Amino acid sequence: MFFSNSRWKLINMPIIDDFVTKLRKNFFARNFNVGEFDNDTVKEAIDGALEDYSRYKSRKARRGNVNLVSGEYYINLPSDFMQASMDQIMFIVTGNTSTSYNWNTNSHRGRNILSVFDSALGATQDPPPSIFYGYFTNTGTYQLALSSALTETLTRTIVYDAFHVIDDTKNTVPIPDQGIIMNLALSNLCSTLATDLLSKPNSIKDYTVANQYSNLSKEYRKTALSKLRNYGFMG
């Protein structure tokens, strides 16, 4: 049984522990036998679903505080930070905005990728080398990497696009789209289990079950993406 948004119209998505329980229940309803997996594995599947969904439909125009600490070479961005305009990034570090620079980045949450700032086509100047190189992810949290230490301690408020969140106290996914998150999370979980079975196969049955999980993962994802395509998403 796959999840359509109609099942979720009249209720809010449960907080993370309840959601984990529901995901487990619906996963085992498919009648596959598999060894026990821990809640961290399930939560990783949910986090991946939220990330995939957010890259199509992020939380726009969020406002958050950024703390600068004198002597530090890094600035921690809000925990749900996804991306921000160049002028907002410049504002964090300098207190001023600029659209003269092109931010060249290909970063992905949870990966350590350093992105540099390049001069934009037609820009009148290069990015100040003494300010910062770009941002990277460190254990899932975005930071700005500075090329020289901060000289003052203060707080600035920025506007940014954010990842959607499901945690102990809140769920930011719109009610009509909550079934999409469930299907994406189930897809991720099935994919993880298939990979685990194939990494250390003990019998022909492991290959067979892994193939079943792989196919099921594709079905769940197809169900989720079909709804997104109804919104005009072509990914």
Side-chain angles (χ1 to χ4, degrees):
M1 176 175 59
F2 297 103
F3 293 87
S4 66
N5 290 311
S6 61
R7 289 194 59 184
W8 299 85
K9 284 183 179 179
L10 301 179
I11 60 174
N12 290 321
M13 182 178 289
I15 60 175
I16 187 63
D17 288 344
D18 288 336
F19 192 76
V20 167
T21 299
K22 287 181 180 293
L23 190 147
R24 281 177 171 274
K25 178 180 178 180
N26 289 291
F27 172 81
F28 285 113
R30 297 308 301 266
N31 298 316
F32 286 114
N33 294 318
V34 66
E36 182 65 11
F37 46 87
D38 59 30
N39 283 346
D40 286 343
T41 300
V42 181
K43 289 179 179 179
E44 287 176 4
I46 296 170
D47 286 343
L50 290 168
E51 179 178 341
D52 286 346
Y53 173 79
S54 296
R55 295 197 178 280
Y56 161 67
K57 196 173 182 180
S58 64
R59 300 158 67 197
K60 300 292 185 181
R62 290 277 297 168
R63 298 181 67 85
N65 291 331
V66 176
N67 297 316
L68 281 67
V69 179
S70 180
E72 291 291 332
Y73 283 83
Y74 301 98
I75 300 174
N76 292 318
L77 298 176
S79 60
D80 59 356
F81 179 90
M82 181 175 173
Q83 63 185 13
S85 62
M86 185 61 195
D87 63 335
Q88 287 293 305
I89 297 298
M90 293 295 290
F91 174 72
I92 293 173
V93 182
T94 68
N96 299 308
T97 60
S98 172
T99 56
S100 296
Y101 310 124
N102 178 42
W103 194 13
N104 179 23
T105 178
N106 184 27
S107 64
H108 187 73
R109 197 176 186 85
R111 299 179 184 174
N112 295 319
I113 299 176
L114 182 64
S115 303
V116 299
F117 289 85
D118 296 325
S119 58
L121 182 64
T124 57
Q125 56 184 323
D126 291 331
S130 62
I131 295 181
F132 58 96
Y133 294 120
Y135 78 80
F136 66 100
T137 59
N138 182 17
T139 62
T141 302
Y142 281 110
Q143 294 177 320
L144 289 177
L146 311 181
S147 59
S148 59
L150 294 165
T151 58
E152 55 186 344
T153 298
L154 53 84
T155 299
R156 292 195 171 104
T157 300
I158 64 164
V159 179
Y160 62 97
D161 290 350
F163 285 101
H164 282 278
V165 175
I166 301 173
D167 59 23
D168 288 340
T169 61
K170 63 181 176 294
N171 157 44
T172 66
V173 179
I175 291 175
D177 292 349
Q178 291 174 6
I180 294 174
I181 302 301
M182 177 62 81
N183 280 301
L184 287 173
L186 286 166
S187 173
N188 292 339
L189 181 59
C190 289
S191 178
T192 296
L193 293 174
T195 300
D196 289 346
L197 282 170
L198 291 176
S199 65
K200 297 179 180 179
N202 295 316
S203 66
I204 296 298
K205 180 180 177 181
D206 286 344
Y207 287 102
T208 300
V209 175
N211 186 59
Q212 289 175 320
Y213 280 132
S214 179
N215 290 334
L216 187 57
S217 173
K218 294 174 183 177
E219 290 182 53
Y220 277 125
R221 189 166 186 85
K222 180 179 179 180
T223 301
L225 294 184
S226 66
K227 178 60 177 178
L228 290 178
R229 290 192 180 98
N230 287 340
Y231 293 163
F233 174 60
M234 299 305 293

